[in-house]
Amino acid sequence: MSVATTNDTMPAPAASPSAKKARRTPAPQSSFAPWKDPNATPIVRFENVTKRFGSFVAVNNISLDIYEREFFALLGPSGCGKTTLLRMLAGFEKPTEGRIIVNGKDVTDLMPYERDAVNMMFQSYALFPHMSVERNIGFGLRQEGMPAADIDARVDEAMGMLELKQFAKRKPHQLSGGQQQRVALARAIAKKPRIMLLDEPLGALDKRLRQTAQFELMHIQESTGTTFIIVTHDQEEAMTVSSRIAVMDHGELVQVSTPGEIYETPQSQYVASFIGDVNILECRVSNVLPDGQLELNWVDGTGKFVAQPPPSGATKDQQVWLALRPEKVRIGLDRPATDVNAIPGKVENIGYLGSISHYHVAVGNDESVTALRANASLAVDNTINWENDVWLDWPADAGVVLIR
Ligand code: ATP
């Protein structure tokens, strides 16, 4: 895990509404939304930032604002430029073009140690093997020349926050991977940065520990009021912890939205497919109805669909894709009352996961659609079996029309 922070005085502890909300569920309607306020000043601003390594473009002309107390996630596949963007913010890489503003100050040409509002926790932890846990945590503060009594108080506070007091005298090699990760986080926290950068902070943990650690991170972010910027390739992690997610692809930002918006209204097939499961049906617009809804002809079958238009609109004959989340597709043995948004198919696979079942249904010309059903009670209709002829249908507001 790597955390980067800037070393201004940290704001007074305060609850972050975003994190509180996120702890329960990704919260599209959280009241914490400074990015919607035209008068809000971002704490971090990337201005047309490009980073080239030789002729290779790792980050391509990114402009992005991040606000105080956000838990912001950079999400994308390996090699898409997430770490490079974070390292430029921390000062370990210099942009080839563009500017980085932190707390109103242009830091583009500053060295990492001159960016006192930012601190970074590294994926490798970068702990000193010969130092005890408490010495490791206090290292940055000693470098700053802080009085010993103040260092002790800070270290004690950070160890308390991360439940490390019992390990204070141990060396890193006497700790588990997860405990080392907590020491690295405590060391970054102890400096009380305003902005904490974390590169795959939970990468070393197994799935169960990782979920617990995500809540720990959210708690720390919430109780310290620090702005967290996290790099992850784990979509569930980004959905769980963050106020907003920036999805990256090949050095570019493809969508920056809240977890709820990313899931419910992805702007491209790439984002829809990257976050959660999705069915994508290629269509052509056959008509734009007077109320603005689109009538669609399915390219791979005989279905006719009606759906809301994308924000940019769509025109007759345009090629589009209808994205449908599996949980929004109803599956049944009986033909629905209407033929609109309904297609026949044959069950080719059933995945029983206890609380839910996935039905993989062959439809149209060699396509497959997944429907998901909750196995809420014993009364649930279990009569749908492999090889059954079934109908799939969904309401007009269930699908999202994508133009790319
Ligand atoms: P991962 O999740 O695998 O860490 P990432 O999205 O964080 O990936 P980056 O580490 O930012 O990706 O790298 C983006 C691209 O830039 C990659 O193709 C990488 O090989 C390249 N790259 C990064 N650092 C350098 C460097 N110092 N010299 C040359 N190429 C680099």
Side-chain angles (χ1 to χ4, degrees), residues 53 56 58 76-85 93 123 200 231 233:
F53 294 108
F56 178 76
S78 183
C80 70
K82 310 178 293 287
T83 298
T84 303
L85 197 60
E93 298 286 358
Q123 206 165 354
E200 298 282 2
V231 158
H233 64 272

Side-chain angles (χ1 to χ4, degrees), residues 322-349:
L322 184 68
L324 278 170
R325 296 290 182 191
E327 68 274 18
K328 297 191 175 169
V329 179
R330 205 187 68 86
I331 179 169
L333 294 171
D334 299 327
R335 184 175 190 140
T338 166
D339 282 348
V340 175
N341 294 339
I343 51 177
K346 190 185 274 294
V347 177
E348 57 183 6
N349 212 340

Side-chain angles (χ1 to χ4, degrees), residues 191-267:
K191 290 192 77 175
K192 299 204 173 189
R194 286 185 72 171
I195 305 165
M196 184 89 95
L197 312 184
L198 303 100
D199 190 354
E200 298 282 2
L202 310 179
L205 306 183
D206 67 37
K207 192 170 163 69
R208 204 178 57 79
L209 272 179
R210 202 173 166 118
Q211 284 169 346
T212 310
Q214 285 165 6
F215 290 122
E216 276 176 8
L217 269 189
M218 289 158 69
H219 175 68
I220 291 166
Q221 191 265 347
E222 181 179 288
S223 60
T224 59
T226 312
T227 305
F228 272 29
I229 306 176
I230 181 175
V231 158
T232 180
H233 64 272
D234 180 336
Q235 24 145 318
E236 274 183 38
E237 184 162 292
M239 295 288 282
T240 303
V241 301
S242 41
S243 54
R244 283 190 304 158
I245 298 172
V247 183
M248 293 183 67
D249 183 26
H250 289 97
E252 297 187 1
L253 292 180
V254 286
Q255 187 166 349
V256 182
S257 302
T258 63
E261 287 162 351
I262 293 257
Y263 188 80
E264 296 292 342
T265 52
Q267 289 163 7

Side-chain angles (χ1 to χ4, degrees), residues 250-399:
H250 289 97
E252 297 187 1
L253 292 180
V254 286
Q255 187 166 349
V256 182
S257 302
T258 63
E261 287 162 351
I262 293 257
Y263 188 80
E264 296 292 342
T265 52
Q267 289 163 7
S268 61
Q269 294 180 69
Y270 176 84
V271 173
S273 307
F274 198 74
I275 311 280
D277 294 331
V278 70
N279 300 296
I280 295 195
L281 303 177
E282 186 183 347
C283 299
R284 206 160 277 282
V285 178
S286 55
N287 202 1
V288 181
L289 299 172
D291 65 0
Q293 292 198 104
L294 304 178
E295 260 181 7
L296 309 173
N297 277 340
W298 182 26
V299 170
D300 298 301
T302 52
K304 284 199 185 305
F305 312 143
V306 170
Q308 301 293 334
S312 58
T315 52
K316 194 168 176 330
D317 294 330
Q318 186 173 342
Q319 181 190 33
V320 295
W321 291 266
L322 184 68
L324 278 170
R325 296 290 182 191
E327 68 274 18
K328 297 191 175 169
V329 179
R330 205 187 68 86
I331 179 169
L333 294 171
D334 299 327
R335 184 175 190 140
T338 166
D339 282 348
V340 175
N341 294 339
I343 51 177
K346 190 185 274 294
V347 177
E348 57 183 6
N349 212 340
I350 302 175
Y352 176 72
L353 300 176
S355 58
I356 52 167
S357 290
H358 291 261
Y359 294 82
H360 300 277
V361 179
V363 295
N365 312 327
D366 202 24
E367 290 295 310
S368 177
V369 164
T370 302
L372 190 154
R373 280 209 321 184
N375 300 322
S377 78
L378 292 176
V380 155
D381 176 9
N382 284 325
T383 54
I384 299 175
N385 280 311
W386 289 42
E387 301 296 325
N388 275 172
D389 290 317
V390 291
W391 281 87
L392 303 173
D393 69 301
W394 57 90
D397 62 358

